[in-house]
């Protein structure tokens, strides 16, 4: 069995304005992500630009979204998100297999 190490990347993105889309590009070939609110407010999460206010997954305040199967065929991915609370910090943890 092959033992692969993983490198973590941490991003903290402040949603300064209410209901405004923010984005975070993930490292190429990220294989796992974790997303949560620092201040326990809801975060609207989307995988498509421009849709974080209409077609989104709600990460409820106090909860964490964790995905172990995110890698796309081209190895690149960006998360799009917004909050109804000004100043909310979206915490993102991504892992890349080495």
């Amino acid at each position: 069995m092959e033992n692969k190490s993983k490198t973590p990347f941490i991003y903290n993105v402040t949603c300064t304005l209410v209901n405004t889309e923010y984005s975070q590009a993930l490292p190429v070939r990220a294989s796992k992500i974790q997303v949560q609110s620092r201040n326990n407010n809801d975060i609207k999460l989307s995988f498509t630009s421009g849709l974080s206010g209409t077609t989104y997954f709600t990460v409820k305040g106090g909860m964490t979204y964790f995905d172990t199967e995110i890698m796309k065929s081209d190895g690149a991915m960006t998360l799009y998100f917004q909050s109804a609370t000004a100043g909310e910090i979206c915490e993102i943890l991504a892992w890349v297999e080495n």
Side-chain angles (χ1 to χ4, degrees):
M1 185 163 124
E2 185 178 342
N3 185 11
K4 293 183 179 182
S5 64
K6 294 180 177 43
T7 302
F9 292 82
I10 297 173
Y11 304 97
N12 293 275
V13 183
T14 302
C15 299
T16 307
L17 302 174
V18 171
N19 296 325
T20 300
E21 184 171 272
Y22 294 87
S23 64
Q24 178 61 57
L26 299 179
V28 174
R29 301 193 53 75
S31 59
K32 298 177 184 179
I33 60 168
Q34 180 175 326
V35 179
Q36 65 187 29
S37 158
R38 178 169 292 171
N39 301 311
N40 294 324
N41 295 303
D42 292 355
I43 293 174
K44 301 172 194 174
L45 176 65
S46 181
F47 299 97
T48 306
S49 177
L51 296 182
S52 64
T54 56
T55 306
Y56 57 86
F57 177 82
T58 303
V59 181
K60 292 290 193 180
M63 303 301 288
T64 298
Y65 172 76
F66 184 72
D67 195 333
T68 61
E69 302 292 332
I70 66 156
M71 189 167 33
K72 292 173 68 175
S73 59
D74 65 2
M77 176 174 267
T78 300
L79 298 178
Y80 303 92
F81 47 89
Q82 57 180 277
S83 174
T85 305
E88 182 57 66
I89 299 171
C90 182
E91 299 180 329
I92 303 165
L93 180 57
W95 289 270
V96 175
E97 290 186 7
N98 300 323

